[in-house]
Amino acid sequence: MMELPRRNSRQITVGKVVIGGNAPVSVQSMCNTDTRDVQATLAQIHTLAARGCEIIRLAVPDMAAADALAPITEASPIPVIADIHFDHRLALAAIRNHAAAIRLNPGNLTDKDAIKQVAELAVETNTPIRVGANGGSVRANLLKELRTKLPPDEAMAEALVQSALHECSLLENFGVTQMKVALKSSSVPVTLAAYRKFADRTDHPLHIGITEAGTFYRGIIKSAVGIGALLSQGIGDTLRVSLTADPAEEVTAGIRILEALGLRDAAPQLVSCPTCGRTEIDLIGLADRVEKLVDELKSSGKKINLAKVAVMGCAVNGPGEARDADLGIAGSKSGQILVFAKGKVLGAFEEEPGFAFFKDELLKHCEG
Amino acid sequence: MMELPRRNSRQITVGKVVIGGNAPVSVQSMCNTDTRDVQATLAQIHTLAARGCEIIRLAVPDMAAADALAPITEASPIPVIADIHFDHRLALAAIRNHAAAIRLNPGNLTDKDAIKQVAELAVETNTPIRVGANGGSVRANLLKELRTKLPPDEAMAEALVQSALHECSLLENFGVTQMKVALKSSSVPVTLAAYRKFADRTDHPLHIGITEAGTFYRGIIKSAVGIGALLSQGIGDTLRVSLTADPAEEVTAGIRILEALGLRDAAPQLVSCPTCGRTEIDLIGLADRVEKLVDELKSSGKKINLAKVAVMGCAVNGPGEARDADLGIAGSKSGQILVFAKGKVLGAFEEEPGFAFFKDELLKHCEG
């Protein structure tokens, strides 16, 4: 797969996960359990980790939640980031309870002495800090001042950048080097502008995403557009898709975005053509069936040694258009099915025997 | 909304739709009916147009389909593009039957004399031509030659560009000026590379999309990533999301991609925060309910004069984080709901009265 350019960012580690430099882009999510409920939170972490989540963030709204981090971080299969707002004492407690990293919001944690205490403990314990600015909590006076000079959206992008840069420099003055930065807005153009500016000015690794992206469908599109646009320009070292939906959907969407850009191995790549006037079979049903078969084989631990599998609507264009597919299935005369490999037709069948033949061919290339 | 840069492309018109220059990016789809079935095809065109489709493409695999274009183009509420492969006589018939534009595939229509005939009739009738190259039908010898010099994916991107450039220059030699170009691949990185190269070398307006993007879920993510990345760099004048799914889904996905980038008015913008440990209400259900209410009002023809509506999970951060929302609803203590506007709380309610109050506030800003 063609390699995208990558911004040359500084490398940090969060628990066992390497972020930045040329490390693979990692996928994060956030639990929606009450962090104080250790059992429920650990159960959700396990579910998300099984889905492919590599780093998990937990809300830490009070000291009881910070205390719950001790048993959670001990048992979690993936690094836990503590999400801190307003109160630096929660950050101190989270670090003492072995959070793999903490997230500070520069919009609501600005007291220098408080930041100094957190920074010193972070350095002592080698705990990275995510500086997580977002549009909703940018300081009102900063935004107001910038709005006298810039149009509202540009002012917001600049406010996110300045807010994060200020927090980073405070932390750096107190000796912190392990940092990553997020600059999220619910507007994709504002988010893109903020990350592009920040990426030009520093080498901090970047956590990317669109905040408050919305419900499942709108949120997935908004996140794929925004995260995809940044990654396609080499910006972004770790990501979270924020959805008002089950966090497991955030993980799957994040993985699919990386797969789409060739930043995550997606073998076999599944391609299928749109339905059109030439289609004489139930193409949608066939494509769904092939996708399900592949997903089942992969989630049962099998490795499929094929780069590309194609599902095509018609015999005229199918095998030719998909001649680079290692294995393919195409509609032929009403109800009939062609199975092909590298542009060569292996046989023509009625639907069920055709699917069975296709499955057998696919299984020949499975291991594990 | 912050404006993205736009590539300065040449402007053409397809029927009544202006493409290129600074015209709005238009949304296309393709019927999956048998074009020869005039009634079924027109019914689907009407459904797609009601969904927001602005240009429709039809498969024209044989002369009967080309003949069917006459009654279809006469009755269609949106411009019809005839999709032609292999046989230039189908292109001639389509133009005579008033197709608003024709699509030629440079990979399977290369005979100079055939192209000359089509070009001359297109010029005479002022019919624009889409040069639609795609990865599956790039000529084998061109690809083979480029693969001796370049890695496989770069060779494919370059083959798409050269194939389209060659066809464009042939058409230009025969006097055609009204052209748009597509260079689709099922690989997002290859597609991005091809469009970026082509955009640098010409001012032809571009039809963008990812071909054979796949099933509903994977296809939407792949298309949002690829189309979004191009549009975020100003590339793309009209688009089609190709899905192995109901074409109506292609239209909605295309519109949502444009909305995400601020290229289509999406008022009111709906934002909702992800669920997290601070959430004490059924946030997913509430967000879905608000989205449904807004969609129903809009599809009943009402205009909602609010820029931003927010659905937030918690009372602590909700009204503050979403203080730029013109109207919002947030979870408060278990089951309770806050309604707020511009950061100010309008009232706290039990769930049902709260939603009713929110709806009344929303209706105050509706017209039509």
Side-chain angles (χ1 to χ4, degrees):
Chain A
M1 176 79 90
M2 185 175 252
E3 277 190 36
L4 294 167
R6 288 286 297 276
R7 169 175 168 261
N8 191 13
S9 57
R10 195 188 303 184
Q11 200 166 70
I12 67 167
T13 56
V14 171
K16 64 192 173 199
V17 180
V18 181
I19 295 172
N22 217 20
V25 179
S26 47
V27 172
Q28 309 200 13
S29 184
M30 189 165 179
C31 282
N32 61 3
T33 53
D34 183 334
T35 305
R36 294 167 298 190
D37 185 340
V38 173
Q39 209 176 345
T41 301
L42 276 172
Q44 191 172 49
I45 293 175
H46 277 279
T47 302
L48 296 174
R51 194 87 168 225
C53 183
E54 293 161 306
I55 296 172
I56 189 72
R57 184 154 50 111
L58 302 180
V60 183
D62 58 27
M63 202 49 81
D67 289 341
L69 290 176
I72 292 171
T73 54
E74 193 176 333
S76 174
I78 53 177
V80 172
I81 299 184
D83 196 52
I84 310 292
H85 294 263
F86 303 105
D87 187 346
H88 74 288
R89 290 167 301 180
L90 299 174
L92 299 173
I95 295 174
R96 289 198 192 96
N97 288 328
H98 308 293
I102 55 167
R103 178 264 175 118
L104 302 180
N105 182 337
N108 60 34
L109 193 59
T110 52
D111 180 77
K112 264 194 200 172
D113 183 58
I115 293 174
K116 181 167 187 268
Q117 290 179 48
V118 175
E120 288 176 350
L121 187 60
V123 171
E124 190 190 316
T125 56
N126 201 25
T127 306
I129 296 176
R130 158 144 87 102
V131 174
N134 72 52
S137 56
V138 155
R139 272 174 301 137
N141 52 357
L142 172 62
L143 194 57
K144 200 173 156 191
E145 189 214 317
L146 289 166
R147 277 190 174 159
T148 63
K149 297 178 247 175
L150 296 168
D153 278 352
E154 284 174 46
M156 177 57 90
E158 185 61 29
L160 285 166
V161 171
Q162 289 192 15
S163 176
L165 281 175
H166 178 70
E167 192 95 347
C168 288
S169 76
L170 281 178
L171 290 168
E172 279 171 321
N173 287 343
F174 299 128
V176 176
T177 56
Q178 297 266 301
M179 268 181 265
K180 62 189 175 97
V181 176
L183 310 122
K184 297 187 186 178
S185 157
S186 62
S187 154
V188 173
V190 170
T191 305
L192 297 181
Y195 276 101
R196 285 168 179 163
K197 277 184 187 208
F198 194 90
D200 279 348
R201 295 189 203 167
T202 81
D203 71 346
H204 291 301
L206 295 171
H207 166 116
I208 60 174
I210 307 296
T211 194
E212 298 156 20
T215 52
F216 183 69
Y217 182 81
R218 277 183 164 85
I220 279 181
I221 289 195
K222 223 167 153 177
S223 296
V225 166
I227 292 171
L230 288 170
L231 288 173
S232 82
Q233 296 189 293
I235 297 172
D237 302 286
T238 182
L239 66 83
R240 178 192 176 197
V241 174
S242 295
L243 299 175
T244 309
D246 182 341
E249 298 295 350
E250 299 186 346
V251 176
T252 299
I255 291 171
R256 295 282 178 261
I257 291 170
L258 293 175
E259 286 178 351
L261 285 161
L263 290 168
R264 182 72 64 113
D265 181 28
Q269 191 197 354
L270 277 180
V271 301
S272 55
C273 63
T275 62
C276 76
R278 286 186 298 269
T279 311
E280 295 181 345
I281 56 159
D282 171 19
L283 179 65
I284 299 173
L286 184 62
D288 285 342
R289 207 169 161 192
V290 169
E291 183 176 49
K292 205 171 154 225
L293 173 63
V294 166
D295 284 347
E296 278 171 6
L297 287 169
K298 285 175 76 174
S299 64
S300 76
K302 294 221 185 309
K303 183 166 163 25
I304 304 173
N305 294 317
L306 294 170
K308 197 172 189 174
V309 171
V311 184
M312 308 298 283
C314 70
V316 179
N317 292 345
E321 282 210 6
R323 65 174 166 260
D324 60 341
D326 302 289
L327 184 64
I329 187 164
S332 169
K333 277 169 279 157
S334 332
Q336 274 224 316
I337 275 181
L338 288 183
V339 177
F340 58 95
K342 293 275 176 201
K344 285 203 181 112
V345 175
L346 304 179
F349 310 86
E350 294 300 309
E351 181 154 354
E352 282 312 312
F355 190 80
F357 183 83
F358 170 83
K359 185 174 172 179
D360 285 345
E361 288 297 312
L362 190 66
L363 288 171
K364 282 184 195 166
H365 299 276
C366 281
E367 60 180 82
Chain B
M1 176 78 90
M2 184 176 253
E3 279 190 34
L4 294 168
R6 287 286 296 277
R7 169 173 169 262
N8 191 14
S9 56
R10 195 188 303 185
Q11 200 167 70
I12 68 167
T13 57
V14 172
K16 63 191 177 201
V17 180
V18 181
I19 295 172
N22 216 21
V25 179
S26 47
V27 173
Q28 310 200 13
S29 184
M30 188 164 181
C31 283
N32 61 4
T33 53
D34 183 334
T35 305
R36 293 165 300 188
D37 184 341
V38 173
Q39 211 176 345
T41 301
L42 277 171
Q44 191 172 49
I45 293 175
H46 276 280
T47 303
L48 296 175
R51 193 89 168 227
C53 184
E54 293 162 307
I55 297 173
I56 189 71
R57 184 154 49 112
L58 302 181
V60 182
D62 57 28
M63 202 48 82
D67 289 341
L69 289 176
I72 292 171
T73 54
E74 194 176 331
S76 174
I78 53 176
V80 172
I81 299 185
D83 196 53
I84 310 291
H85 294 263
F86 302 106
D87 186 347
H88 74 289
R89 290 166 300 180
L90 299 173
L92 298 173
I95 294 175
R96 290 199 190 95
N97 289 326
H98 308 291
I102 55 167
R103 177 266 175 114
L104 301 180
N105 182 337
N108 59 34
L109 193 59
T110 52
D111 180 76
K112 264 192 200 174
D113 183 59
I115 293 174
K116 182 168 186 268
Q117 290 178 50
V118 175
E120 287 176 351
L121 188 60
V123 170
E124 189 190 316
T125 56
N126 201 24
T127 307
I129 296 176
R130 158 145 86 102
V131 174
N134 72 50
S137 56
V138 156
R139 273 175 299 138
N141 52 357
L142 172 62
L143 194 58
K144 200 174 157 190
E145 188 213 317
L146 289 166
R147 279 192 173 156
T148 63
K149 297 178 246 173
L150 296 168
D153 279 350
E154 284 174 44
M156 176 57 89
E158 184 61 29
L160 285 165
V161 171
Q162 289 193 14
S163 176
L165 282 175
H166 178 71
E167 192 95 347
C168 288
S169 76
L170 281 179
L171 290 168
E172 279 170 321
N173 287 345
F174 300 127
V176 176
T177 57
Q178 297 266 302
M179 266 180 267
K180 62 190 175 96
V181 175
L183 311 121
K184 297 187 185 178
S185 155
S186 62
S187 154
V188 173
V190 170
T191 305
L192 297 181
Y195 277 102
R196 285 169 180 163
K197 276 184 189 209
F198 194 89
D200 278 348
R201 296 190 203 168
T202 81
D203 72 346
H204 291 302
L206 295 171
H207 166 117
I208 61 174
I210 306 297
T211 194
E212 299 155 16
T215 53
F216 183 70
Y217 182 82
R218 278 185 165 84
I220 279 180
I221 289 195
K222 222 168 153 176
S223 296
V225 166
I227 292 172
L230 287 171
L231 289 172
S232 81
Q233 296 190 291
I235 296 172
D237 301 286
T238 182
L239 67 82
R240 176 192 178 199
V241 174
S242 297
L243 298 175
T244 309
D246 182 341
E249 298 295 350
E250 299 187 346
V251 176
T252 300
I255 292 171
R256 296 282 178 261
I257 291 170
L258 292 175
E259 286 178 351
L261 285 162
L263 291 168
R264 180 72 65 112
D265 181 26
Q269 191 198 351
L270 278 180
V271 300
S272 56
C273 63
T275 62
C276 76
R278 287 186 297 270
T279 311
E280 293 181 346
I281 56 160
D282 172 19
L283 179 65
I284 298 172
L286 184 62
D288 286 341
R289 208 170 160 190
V290 169
E291 183 176 49
K292 203 168 156 226
L293 174 63
V294 166
D295 285 347
E296 277 170 8
L297 288 169
K298 285 177 76 174
S299 63
S300 75
K302 295 221 185 308
K303 184 165 161 28
I304 305 173
N305 293 317
L306 294 171
K308 196 172 189 174
V309 171
V311 184
M312 307 298 283
C314 71
V316 179
N317 293 345
E321 282 210 3
R323 65 175 164 258
D324 60 341
D326 303 289
L327 185 63
I329 188 164
S332 168
K333 276 168 279 155
S334 332
Q336 274 225 317
I337 275 182
L338 290 183
V339 178
F340 58 95
K342 292 277 177 199
K344 284 202 180 112
V345 175
L346 305 178
F349 310 86
E350 295 300 308
E351 179 153 357
E352 282 312 313
F355 191 79
F357 182 85
F358 170 83
K359 185 175 174 179
D360 285 344
E361 288 296 312
L362 190 66
L363 288 172
K364 282 184 195 165
H365 299 277
C366 281
E367 59 180 82

